[in-house]
Amino acid sequence: MTDIEQFRIDIPQSDLDDLTDRLARTRWPSALPGAEWSRGVPVAYLQDLAEYWRDGYDWRAWEKRLNEFPQYTTEIDGQRLHFLHVRSPEPDAIPLIMTHSWPNSIAEFLNVLGPLTDPRAHGLDPSRARTRERRRRAGDAVSGGVRTRARHRLAHHLRARRADG
């Protein structure tokens, strides 16, 4: 296993501009009459989704929100892993590893990080505190494909790091 390195999301503006441009230039097929979802994703649905990504989605706001949490990458068995490691201020917090599968994302866990790691600050019982080790799962933009053995080795490595202080 390689070293664990700090990570920060920093997508170049030129990449976002390129995506916006490519979405604006999409050549859409004609919809099949009456097919709706029986023949795949309806064209109208994809057009709405592309329009949202082009004009409505605020990538910089999400990038800022995700970067509020400590992020790391490491390589295990040739697989790059990206994860958050949010420590609890409670000294007896129980370690907790949460993973997601494709096509879900790390963003789905952001609202529970505070209550899980610092329940006292959220008006909850501090004995329920967890130190959150949240790993991104295969298929996301940072981790790539991840084998089960690599996930288990990461969990073991994180437990060892916690024991070392």
Side-chain angles (χ1 to χ4, degrees):
M1 177 166 33
T2 59
D3 292 333
I4 292 177
E5 299 176 2
Q6 290 188 344
F7 179 81
R8 187 167 177 77
I9 299 171
D10 185 20
I11 304 301
Q13 185 60 44
S14 60
D15 288 357
L16 298 177
D17 292 343
D18 177 61
L19 175 61
T20 299
D21 181 59
R22 285 184 287 128
L23 289 170
R25 290 185 292 110
T26 301
R27 295 173 53 194
W28 298 102
S30 299
L32 294 174
E36 299 189 13
W37 288 91
S38 66
R39 302 268 185 201
V41 179
V43 173
Y45 180 89
L46 284 177
Q47 288 171 323
D48 288 346
L49 184 59
E51 181 180 341
Y52 170 71
W53 276 99
R54 187 181 71 236
D55 299 324
Y57 185 77
D58 188 347
W59 174 258
R60 293 298 180 209
W62 276 99
E63 185 176 70
K64 180 180 177 188
R65 186 164 182 212
L66 291 165
N67 282 333
E68 291 174 0
F69 301 98
Q71 301 175 64
Y72 303 89
T73 60
T74 191
E75 187 175 305
I76 299 176
D77 291 342
Q79 302 294 311
R80 184 174 186 210
L81 301 175
H82 170 250
F83 60 97
L84 303 181
H85 188 184
V86 183
R87 291 187 179 266
S88 174
E90 300 296 332
D92 296 323
I94 298 169
L96 173 65
I97 296 176
M98 297 174 68
T99 62
H100 65 79
S101 60
W102 188 89
N104 300 341
S105 82
I106 195 172
E108 295 176 62
F109 293 110
L110 296 182
N111 291 335
V112 298
L113 283 174
L116 281 174
T117 59
D118 194 2
R120 185 184 314 266
H122 291 83
L124 303 169
D125 180 359
S127 69
R128 302 188 58 85
R130 305 294 187 260
T131 290
R132 182 135 188 280
E133 294 157 349
R134 163 64 197 96
R135 196 198 64 68
R136 288 187 133 181
R137 180 90 177 196
D140 67 31
V142 179
S143 290
V146 180
R147 295 180 290 232
T148 301
R149 191 171 119 202
R151 289 193 305 267
H152 290 286
R153 289 189 59 193
L154 174 63
H156 174 75
H157 181 73
L158 291 171
R159 283 192 300 272
R161 278 191 67 195
R162 185 172 189 275
D164 292 341

